[in-house]
Amino acid sequence: MPIWCPRTTTWRFTFGCACSFCVDAVVHVGKHGNLEWLPGKSVALGAACWPDAILGPLPHLYPFIVNDPGEGSQAKRRTQAVIIDHLMPALTRAETYGPLQKLERQMDEYYEALSLDPRRAQRLREDILERVLSEGLHAELGFAKPADEAARNTLLQRLDAYLCEIKESQIRDGLHILGSSPQGRQQIDTLVALARFPGGKAAGQGSLLVALAKDLQLDGVDGFSALSPEWAAPWNGPYPAVLQQLSAEAWRHAGHTRERLELLARRLVADHVVADEPWDVAAWPHTAPVIARMRQVLRPRLDACGPQEIAQCLRGLAGRFVPAGPSGAPSRGRPDVLPTGRNFYSVDTRAVPTQTAYAMGVAAAERVIERHLQDHGEMLRCLGLSVWGTSTMRTGGEDIAQAFALLGVRPKWADGSSRVVDIEVLPMAMKGRPRVDVTLRVSGFFRDAFPNVIDLFDTAVRAVAAISEEDEPDDVNPIRARVQREAAEAQARGLSADAAQREATWRVFGPAPRWLWRRAARGHGQRSLERRRRPGPGLFARRRLCLRSGRAWRGRTRQF
C-alpha cells in the first residue's frame, strides 16, 4: 500500500509492517499484469478502487508491446501508467516440422510418381490418406471421411495447399528482448514482414510481394493474388527463371508460387536492404521503390527500436518527459509506429476504419463469402461478428471494415485528415452477390472507445434497410426483408410504427455501460475489501487516500 513517508516527505510503497521499504517508482514488466484489472471503476478511479488504493500517486512505468493499444489504454486509465512501448517478437515463416514435414515429402513424391510409376503412386496415395485420417487432418480441413474417389481427390488437393499455407504462415520467432533490435536472419524476416502489406498509396509504400508479382508478370494470372492467393489453384505458368533458381521443390499450385515470392523477397532484402549491394533498378520498376523505402526508412526505424526502448525507460525513471507516439501492428501496414520506446496513444477513433484496413476487410469478406459458398452451396445471407476494441485498435479497424464490406457499404474519408465522415451504399450489381445481414457483438471496451463507429455502422444498416424493392429485390437485400418482417411483428406487440422500425434495425449488441466493473465490485472484490478492513497500514493508507481526494472517511468502502 502507498503510505506517507515522513523521512522523505513522499508517498512510499509498503507490503506490511515488517517488510515495508521505500520505492520511488514501479516498472511493470509484461503484457498484461493484474493491477489494471482489479475491482473498481473503469475510469476516474476513486479511493475504494483497488488500483488507486494500491498504487496511489506512485510513478508507474509500463513497458508494453506496441501492437496492443487496447489493453495499454486500460493501463493508462486504471493505473496512470506511462507506457514505454516495445517491439513485437521477430516474425518469420512457420515452415513445417515433424509429421507435417514427412507428409509434405510424401505429397511431393506422390505427384512425381503419378507420371513415372503409377503403382508406387497408388501405394503413396493410400499411405497419405491413412495418415490424414489417423491424425484427424481431414476434420481440420473441413472434410468428412471420404467415401468415394472424387472425395479422396478433393481431399488430397486441399491437403497439398494446406501444407503450403502452413509453411507460409507468419509466426513469432522467440521473444523480444527489451532494448534489443532484431539482428541477422531475424532482422531480414522482420523487414519482409513489415513490407508484406501496403503502408500507404505512394509507390514506395506498396506491398513488396505485390510489387515482385507485377515485375515478374504474375499478378492477376488466373486470378493470382500475392497477398491472398487461392492456395490450391493449379499453376500452369509462367515460371520465371529467377523463381526457379530459388527452389528445386515442386511447383504445382498458386501456393508454391507464393512460397517462391517469399523466398525472393528475403533474398532481395538480405542483399539490397541489409547488405546494401547495388542492383539493376531499371529491371524492377515496381520493386525498386519499395526496396529503396525499406533501406532508407524501415531498416533505420527497426534498428532504432532497441536503443530507444532503454533510453526512454531511463528518461521516465529520471522524471523526464517520455515522448508520445502512435500504436498498432507494424506488420499489418503500420510501420509508422516505429521506432518504439514511446508513450503510445491508441488511435484517432474518427479515422476508423482506415483506408488500408478497409481494403483488408474487403478481401476478408470476399473470402468468407467464397468459403461459405464452397461449404454450403449457397450464398451467405446473415452473419454474426464478435468485435473487440483491442483488435480494432491493432489493425486500424479491419474487423469493422469486414462488416461494412459484407453489408455492401464503404466509408467516406475526408481529404487531408483521412477521418471517416459518412458511408456510401454501393450497388450490389458491382459485387455480383446479395448483401449480408451482419450483427455485431461488441465488447465493453469497444463500446467505450468507438461510439462513433457503432453509430456509423447503425447508420449503414438503416441506409441499406431503406433501399426500395424496385432497386433491390429481397433476394439481393435480405436486410430490408428481415427489417420489414420484424417491424410488423413489433407493431403487433403494440409498439408504434417508428419504434417498431427502430427496433427491427438493431444490429449492435454488447454489455451495458459500467456493467463489468459493477459486477466485479459487487462480487468477490468488494467483499474481500470489506473483510480486510482492520487496523494497520492498509487502513491508514485508505484513510489518507480518501482525505487526499477530498472525500470524507466513513469507515467503510464507497459503493459504486
Side-chain angles (χ1 to χ4, degrees):
M1 288 291 183
I3 64 172
W4 184 258
C5 179
R7 179 176 61 83
T8 59
T9 63
T10 57
W11 288 92
R12 296 297 183 177
F13 206 79
T14 178
F15 289 97
C17 301
C19 57
S20 61
F21 60 97
C22 291
V23 173
D24 295 305
V26 169
V27 178
H28 192 167
V29 180
K31 187 228 108 177
H32 54 73
N34 64 352
L35 276 175
E36 60 267 36
W37 304 102
L38 292 176
K41 293 190 291 183
S42 60
V43 68
L45 275 62
C49 300
W50 285 37
D52 193 58
I54 291 173
L55 281 179
L58 191 71
H60 180 201
L61 300 178
Y62 205 159
F64 209 92
I65 192 167
V66 70
N67 65 7
D68 194 0
E71 292 181 357
S73 298
Q74 290 292 96
K76 285 172 171 281
R77 290 179 175 183
R78 305 203 76 233
T79 59
Q80 305 96 36
V82 175
I83 298 293
I84 311 291
D85 62 19
H86 65 74
L87 200 63
M88 72 285 174
L91 300 172
T92 188
R93 296 165 69 227
E95 300 291 352
T96 53
Y97 59 90
L100 290 179
Q101 191 175 46
K102 184 176 180 179
L103 193 59
E104 184 185 18
R105 287 197 296 264
Q106 282 186 311
M107 290 292 293
D108 291 339
E109 187 180 356
Y110 164 70
Y111 280 103
E112 182 181 352
L114 278 175
S115 58
L116 301 176
D117 189 350
R119 289 195 305 173
R120 183 163 61 94
Q122 183 62 30
R123 179 61 183 271
L124 284 167
R125 176 191 177 91
E126 293 174 359
D127 290 345
I128 292 170
L129 288 172
E130 182 181 355
R131 181 182 293 274
V132 167
L133 295 176
S134 64
E135 298 290 341
L137 282 176
H138 64 290
E140 184 173 341
L141 295 173
F143 288 88
K145 187 176 180 179
D148 52 33
E149 194 66 17
R152 294 186 186 95
N153 290 334
T154 304
L155 176 58
L156 284 175
Q157 185 181 15
R158 180 69 186 94
L159 175 66
D160 192 22
Y162 170 77
L163 293 173
C164 189
E165 189 175 355
I166 286 290
K167 287 176 64 178
E168 295 304 310
S169 298
Q170 192 178 88
I171 62 170
R172 296 175 177 179
D173 187 7
L175 297 174
H176 174 65
I177 300 173
L178 190 69
S180 176
S181 297
Q183 300 295 325
R185 179 187 58 80
Q186 288 188 335
Q187 181 188 36
I188 295 171
D189 288 350
T190 303
L191 284 170
V192 171
L194 293 178
R196 178 175 283 112
F197 294 100
K201 294 185 176 181
Q205 296 177 327
S207 164
L208 176 59
L209 296 180
V210 172
L212 289 172
K214 288 180 178 178
D215 285 335
L216 296 173
Q217 299 181 355
L218 302 177
D219 190 52
V221 174
D222 293 331
F224 176 74
S225 170
L227 288 181
S228 55
E230 291 296 331
W231 299 90
W235 186 259
N236 300 312
Y239 302 92
V242 67
L243 295 184
Q244 293 187 44
Q245 297 170 2
L246 293 172
S247 174
E249 296 182 1
W251 192 344
R252 294 186 296 273
H253 46 67
H256 290 143
T257 307
R258 161 65 183 266
E259 180 181 357
R260 283 165 168 77
L261 286 175
E262 285 274 357
L263 293 175
L264 178 59
R266 294 173 67 185
R267 173 171 292 185
L268 291 178
V269 169
D271 293 344
H272 308 302
V273 177
V274 176
D276 200 12
E277 297 178 359
W279 63 313
D280 186 6
V281 175
W284 302 86
H286 295 93
T287 306
V290 181
I291 293 293
R293 175 173 174 264
M294 295 179 70
R295 182 173 59 249
Q296 299 165 8
V297 179
L298 295 188
R299 184 191 170 189
R301 287 185 178 181
L302 184 64
D303 291 342
C305 289
Q308 284 293 315
E309 290 169 5
I310 291 297
Q312 298 303 333
C313 191
L314 294 176
R315 281 175 62 92
L317 288 173
R320 301 174 65 189
F321 174 71
V322 176
S327 59
S331 59
R332 301 290 294 182
R334 292 296 309 277
D336 57 299
V337 306
L338 303 180
T340 51
R342 294 180 284 189
N343 184 8
F344 71 48
Y345 50 84
S346 55
V347 292
D348 182 356
T349 60
R350 295 167 293 182
V352 173
T354 66
Q355 297 183 40
T356 301
Y358 181 74
M360 300 296 296
V362 169
E366 296 302 327
R367 296 192 69 179
V368 168
I369 293 171
E370 183 178 353
R371 178 63 182 270
H372 186 274
L373 181 61
Q374 292 173 350
D375 292 348
H376 302 281
E378 60 181 7
M379 295 301 294
L380 181 63
R381 297 285 177 174
C382 60
L383 184 69
L385 290 178
S386 180
V387 184
W388 292 69
T390 51
S391 62
T392 301
M393 287 185 175
R394 183 183 300 118
T395 63
E398 285 183 22
D399 41 13
I400 199 70
Q402 182 181 359
F404 283 137
L406 290 169
L407 278 177
V409 302
R410 177 173 57 197
K412 288 183 177 180
W413 293 275
D415 295 335
S417 65
S418 294
R419 290 172 177 169
V420 179
V421 294
D422 202 355
I423 56 101
E424 176 185 3
V425 179
L426 303 175
M428 296 314 292
M430 63 184 294
K431 295 288 186 179
R433 62 169 177 85
R435 301 184 190 275
V436 180
D437 192 354
V438 181
T439 299
L440 300 184
R441 170 62 168 88
V442 302
S443 66
F445 182 71
F446 186 93
R447 174 205 65 213
D448 294 339
F450 298 100
N452 58 310
V453 178
I454 292 175
D455 182 67
L456 190 70
F457 184 80
D458 180 65
T459 300
V461 171
R462 296 168 71 178
V464 169
I467 299 175
S468 67
E469 190 172 357
E470 290 76 14
D471 294 331
E472 290 184 1
D474 289 350
D475 60 339
V476 176
N477 191 350
I479 302 169
R480 183 192 60 247
R482 181 179 173 186
V483 166
Q484 290 177 349
R485 183 177 66 254
E486 293 184 354
E489 294 173 356
Q491 279 188 277
R493 297 198 313 266
L495 290 181
S496 65
D498 291 342
Q501 180 72 14
R502 187 67 189 96
E503 181 180 304
T505 57
W506 289 348
R507 292 296 185 276
V508 182
F509 298 89
R514 304 172 65 187
W515 177 83
L516 181 61
W517 68 261
R518 278 181 179 273
R519 181 178 180 184
R522 291 174 178 173
H524 72 279
Q526 183 78 11
R527 290 192 295 272
S528 177
L529 192 60
E530 291 278 0
R531 286 196 299 269
R532 291 188 180 187
R533 193 182 307 111
R534 59 182 183 272
L539 177 63
F540 174 79
R542 286 196 297 274
R543 184 182 292 118
R544 281 281 190 179
L545 287 171
C546 281
L547 293 175
R548 179 169 54 87
S549 61
R551 298 187 184 93
W553 176 259
R554 298 183 178 89
R556 60 179 176 84
T557 55
R558 182 175 179 178
Q559 297 297 321
F560 301 136

